[in-house]
Amino acid sequence: MDHSNAFLMELKNDSIVTKSVVSELSDHEREFNFYKGEKLIHKKEQHLQLSYYRKLGDIIRKYQEVVLFGPTDAKNELLNLLKTNHLFEDIKIEVINSDKMTESQMQTFVRGYFKK
């Protein structure tokens, strides 16, 4: 996962179902808002980032064990947000730093993680 896109991979009977969640803040919006003022841009980006993390949290609540991985700090930011909500206290959530991966590499990583 990163700040704009998360691949959700669910391991079912040794096959992986993949879905994607994309943040609402596009590069086009960033360029357009450049002319509106830095403070406004920052506030809007924070709001959209929080909305993105909440969307991921709504999905994570359905599981008992989750691994967050990727090359950016987004996974840690999401974990910190989830820790503030009691609804996630019974879910095992682990964060692992990783390099950028292809979808195939991510699927291999997920299979290996949950087979241990």
Side-chain angles (χ1 to χ4, degrees), residues 3-73:
H3 289 96
S4 61
N5 190 29
F7 289 95
L8 307 171
M9 299 184 168
E10 182 177 10
L11 186 59
K12 288 184 176 182
N13 302 324
D14 207 36
S15 65
I16 293 185
V17 178
T18 303
K19 297 177 187 171
S20 181
V21 174
V22 179
S23 174
E24 295 175 36
L25 185 61
S26 69
D27 288 338
H28 175 71
E29 282 182 272
R30 287 176 197 241
E31 290 173 19
F32 177 74
N33 285 331
F34 178 74
Y35 299 102
K36 289 188 173 183
E38 190 173 327
K39 191 173 184 179
L40 178 63
I41 294 168
H42 184 67
K43 188 173 182 176
K44 182 173 182 179
E45 285 179 347
Q46 283 183 319
H47 174 73
L48 291 173
Q49 199 68 51
L50 185 59
S51 174
Y52 170 63
Y53 289 156
R54 284 184 177 151
K55 201 181 301 184
L56 293 172
D58 288 343
I59 295 166
I60 289 170
R61 282 189 14 212
K62 300 173 188 173
Y63 298 95
Q64 296 174 346
E65 187 174 2
V66 174
V67 61
L68 304 173
F69 63 96
T72 69
D73 289 332

